Amino acid sequence: MHRPDPHSYYDAAQPKARRLRLKLGVDFAAKRIDGEVVLEFGSAITGPLDLDTKGLEIHSVQVPGHGPIPWELGEADAILGSRLRLDMPQGAQEVTITYRTGADAMALQWLEPEQTEGKVSPYLFSQCQQIHARTMVPCQDTPNVRVAYQAEVNVPEGLTAVMSAGPTGDEALGNGRHVYRFTMPQPIPSYLLALAVGRLESRDLSPRARVWAEPETVAAATWEFAGVEDMILKAEGLFGAYPWDRYDMLVLPPSFPYGGMENPRMTFLTPTLLAGDRSLVDVVAHELAHSWTGNLVTNASMEHFWLNEGFTVWAERRILRILHGDDATALGWAMGQKALEDSLERFKSQPKLTLLRMHLEGIDPDDAFSSIPYEKGARLVAALEREVGEDRFLRFIREYMDAFRFTSITTEQFCAFVAAKLPGALEAVNAKAYLDKPGLPDTAPEFRSVQLDTITVLADSWVDGGRPSAHQIASWKPAELQVFLQKLPRNLSQADCAWLDERFQLMGRGNYEILVEWLTLAAAADYEPAFPRLREVLLRVGRMKYLRPLYGALGRHARTRALARELFAAASPGYHGLSRRVVQSVLETYPD
Ligand SMILES: [Zn+2]
């Protein structure tokens, strides 16, 4: 037995599934999916086969020509769930499992109509990363295994289903139900399985890109993401032809716990990106870049998550630089630096979680999630790029994509490849310090620009009375204002808050990065005029990136702690399970 992924029962001595055939019946009343999955192996197999499940009710397990076969569901582990062991008969090429999802399947969020923009129909979306596909489908839930899939999704008439796959048709069943069919010919890791069902409309953005959203938001989404084809072209210039045929996007309801999720052919996005001024489309650049870094070349397990995210942050800023220039990119790196410092502070008593090469046996990958694999990882990639030069590094990236397309790799495989292609580079940048030592190495690359330096000096002078001039205030773009706010001291007075709000009109901002940075400062200052807006944001938005700092800042004062507890009690039924866990962990750090 060899279990290469600490977060899966997958046994490398056993055969890998090659393809899944799914039938998913979506039951909004019961908040369950009645599922059937066929795992195809592509050749005859035999003997024990271990699958991951969590909270699933297994109804039957059959092999064509053999009928029902023996199976055993192991004890439930809090992180991994239950091992489903099948005993495959001689010559079996596939196995069919019928099952039902559990009441608290982490992959699935079931929204009441009131939690959607339209408020008329329920909504379902999935989020399988990090290890939640097993709450939706019994499978080898590890990136070590890649599967193509086809699916039939049965939903109430009037609702539309989308998946991380190409649509191949739909039909009304005449009984109030409608079937949507999909196929994903390219092999993907299980965490990229994705499904959403709701009242959806779409608009074409280019011959290969489309945006989906509720009818109430589709026009705003179309405008916000109109530039996506240009981004795809720039990304192709860097990394080669787009490998997934279509690039569609789905704007989800506000409880979506992430900024974006790179589900292939159908990126999932938070509606907080709809700033109205296209100022937050860097998240789209990030999810698009995952089409190569992450989805095409994938981390072998969450212990190597930096291979997905570090490369993608680097790629995102490479795309940003081509589109918006060096100054905008330096601001992007500065925002990342702030996120990195916040995460290093959060894990200061768990330095193990600040390594890039993580050791996660017995650790829930959602608890290890932070900006570190993103930003520390991106700094290692940038250090390698600086060491060998941009042209050589871009050639290297193309070689890397070619060598590992549609495979899942470890940090060790990456290092061996770099050693072969860029001899001496790992030693020159002291890669070991990034991979195996806590914190950020002193030698990590810095990203500066005159504009960023000006903002930094100004923010640093705040305590001595330094304030931006009316001219600066009028000329700043959203990213400059965001970085300025991020660099301000965390303990502003109420008078400081009043000054900032008056000069920058912060309370009414539609750019959530600015709004949340401002509300974080205001919450930490116990600044009462911001409470109504705080209430509004925390009751509406479930994006973890925003909940963590806001609830954290509310912990400073007795009055704001009471407000936080009251808001969490009211908001938590509407939060995703992942978001709820994050807020609970923050509230546990409150005194009293
Ligand atoms: Zn990412």
Side-chain angles (χ1 to χ4, degrees):
M1 189 185 81
H2 170 50
R3 278 176 46 190
D5 181 343
H7 297 122
S8 172
Y9 291 109
Y10 165 66
D11 184 339
Q14 299 176 2
K16 292 180 182 184
R18 302 284 172 201
R19 193 160 170 274
L20 306 181
R21 300 201 305 271
L22 288 162
K23 283 186 186 158
L24 304 174
V26 178
D27 182 344
F28 278 101
K31 297 187 164 61
R32 307 267 185 146
I33 289 178
D34 289 296
E36 177 190 294
V37 61
V38 181
L39 290 91
E40 298 177 8
F41 294 88
S43 59
I45 66 163
T46 185
L49 181 74
D50 296 335
L51 302 179
D52 294 296
T53 74
K54 198 172 187 183
L56 298 179
E57 285 171 24
I58 304 298
H59 294 161
S60 72
V61 182
Q62 309 223 17
V63 168
H66 291 264
I69 63 161
W71 55 273
E72 183 194 11
L73 200 56
E75 247 173 70
D77 176 272
I79 299 169
L80 273 65
S82 304
R83 184 185 73 182
L84 175 61
R85 170 160 286 186
L86 314 182
D87 188 11
M88 298 293 287
Q90 193 90 41
Q93 299 215 15
E94 60 179 52
V95 59
T96 306
I97 304 169
T98 57
Y99 65 96
R100 196 167 199 223
T101 58
D104 46 10
M106 191 61 105
L108 303 175
Q109 191 177 11
W110 302 87
L111 300 179
E112 300 294 339
E114 308 76 65
Q115 294 173 271
T116 66
E117 290 295 336
K119 307 197 188 311
V120 295
S121 302
Y123 199 109
L124 165 67
F125 67 82
S126 69
Q127 170 60 39
C128 288
Q129 202 178 31
Q130 309 293 346
I131 53 167
H132 307 305
R134 67 194 65 181
T135 68
M136 188 164 96
V137 182
C139 61
Q140 292 163 316
D141 193 8
T142 168
N144 281 271
V145 177
R146 302 179 74 104
V147 288
Y149 76 89
Q150 69 179 55
E152 256 184 51
V153 186
N154 180 314
V155 304
E157 192 63 71
L159 301 186
T160 300
V162 296
M163 290 193 84
S164 56
T168 52
D170 66 279
E171 78 188 272
L173 296 177
N175 58 354
R177 306 287 296 182
H178 203 102
V179 163
Y180 289 84
R181 296 193 179 84
F182 303 90
T183 182
M184 168 48 89
Q186 293 101 335
I188 59 164
S190 52
Y191 75 82
L192 292 176
L193 270 175
L195 167 70
V197 181
R199 205 169 124 263
L200 300 176
E201 278 187 15
S202 69
R203 298 282 185 277
D204 282 339
L205 302 173
S206 84
R208 59 175 161 178
R210 182 177 296 161
V211 65
W212 289 86
E214 286 186 72
E216 291 73 14
T217 24
V218 76
T222 305
W223 187 86
E224 203 82 32
F225 305 131
V228 72
E229 179 60 33
D230 197 28
M231 254 185 210
I232 301 173
L233 290 169
K234 300 293 187 289
E236 286 187 312
L238 292 170
F239 309 122
Y242 178 71
W244 303 92
D245 304 332
R246 289 198 60 86
Y247 185 76
D248 294 341
M249 294 170 282
L250 172 67
V251 178
L252 288 129
S255 67
F256 185 59
Y258 288 101
M261 178 63 212
E262 64 270 23
N263 300 314
R265 296 184 184 219
M266 187 64 75
T267 283
F268 282 18
L269 295 170
T270 166
T272 60
L273 302 182
L274 302 175
D277 59 6
R278 296 178 181 157
S279 55
L280 298 178
V281 293
D282 56 333
V283 174
V284 176
H286 180 95
E287 306 312 331
L288 172 65
H290 268 307
S291 305
W292 290 267
T293 52
N295 296 2
L296 189 62
V297 181
T298 307
N299 54 214
S301 77
M302 292 307 151
E303 295 190 320
H304 308 280
F305 191 45
W306 80 275
L307 286 173
N308 277 16
E309 296 302 343
F311 266 91
T312 301
V313 168
W314 171 82
E316 160 202 333
R317 296 197 181 127
R318 215 53 177 69
I319 296 170
L320 199 65
R321 197 174 114 202
I322 300 171
L323 288 171
H324 302 302
D326 289 334
D327 282 352
T329 313
L331 291 171
W333 283 104
M335 292 170 197
Q337 184 73 27
K338 169 71 165 47
L340 177 57
E341 284 163 11
D342 287 352
S343 292
L344 291 172
E345 171 67 21
R346 173 154 67 94
F347 286 149
K348 64 174 188 277
S349 61
Q350 297 161 279
K352 264 176 52 180
L353 297 181
T354 73
L355 313 181
L356 288 184
R357 182 167 19 207
M358 285 192 280
H359 305 281
L360 296 178
E361 184 84 49
I363 297 175
D364 187 326
D366 286 321
D367 294 339
F369 183 85
S370 78
S371 292
I372 292 162
Y374 293 73
E375 296 293 342
K376 186 179 176 185
R379 280 157 179 76
L380 171 55
V381 178
L384 288 168
E385 181 184 29
R386 285 190 181 180
E387 174 61 25
V388 302
E390 281 184 14
D391 291 347
R392 177 67 194 101
F393 194 69
L394 264 188
R395 281 208 312 283
F396 164 79
I397 288 289
R398 295 282 192 110
E399 291 162 351
Y400 174 59
M401 301 287 162
D402 284 346
F404 297 111
R405 321 171 42 84
F406 295 111
T407 68
S408 303
I409 66 167
T410 61
T411 302
E412 295 72 49
Q413 284 172 284
F414 169 76
C415 288
F417 190 74
V418 179
K421 296 287 177 183
L422 306 171
L426 290 170
E427 296 74 15
V429 304
N430 194 10
K432 274 196 82 58
Y434 293 82
L435 297 173
D436 302 319
K437 299 252 162 63
L440 185 69
D442 297 336
T443 54
E446 287 187 30
F447 304 89
R448 294 179 59 179
S449 72
V450 173
Q451 181 194 34
L452 178 58
D453 288 350
T454 309
I455 293 170
T456 306
V457 168
L458 196 53
D460 288 349
S461 73
W462 181 272
V463 283
D464 303 318
R467 297 291 180 271
S469 67
H471 172 71
Q472 282 167 317
I473 288 171
S475 69
W476 275 352
K477 295 198 181 77
E480 292 165 277
L481 173 56
Q482 184 187 333
V483 170
F484 174 71
L485 294 175
Q486 286 181 335
K487 287 181 175 287
L488 287 179
R490 299 290 94 184
N491 55 350
L492 296 182
S493 68
Q494 299 188 351
D496 289 336
C497 289
W499 190 93
L500 284 168
D501 187 30
E502 197 208 316
R503 297 303 152 93
F504 289 104
Q505 299 295 307
L506 294 166
M507 220 74 89
R509 291 279 169 164
N511 175 314
Y512 263 79
E513 293 293 324
I514 291 173
L515 179 65
V516 169
E517 193 58 42
W518 152 245
L519 291 175
T520 304
L521 290 166
D526 190 21
Y527 182 62
E528 198 172 359
F531 289 4
R533 194 77 171 106
L534 263 165
R535 190 178 286 275
E536 220 175 276
V537 169
L538 290 175
L539 289 174
R540 180 179 136 80
V541 175
R543 187 173 171 188
M544 295 186 285
K545 180 184 183 189
Y546 298 152
L547 298 184
R548 190 187 294 282
L550 287 173
Y551 279 102
L554 285 168
R556 286 274 189 92
H557 306 271
R559 178 166 71 161
T560 52
R561 284 196 290 278
L563 177 65
R565 291 192 177 107
E566 176 211 320
L567 287 175
F568 181 57
S572 73
Y575 286 162
H576 191 282
L578 292 166
S579 307
R580 210 176 297 137
R581 277 184 48 153
V582 162
V583 178
Q584 271 158 350
S585 75
V586 174
L587 294 185
E588 279 163 19
T589 67
Y590 283 10
D592 68 64

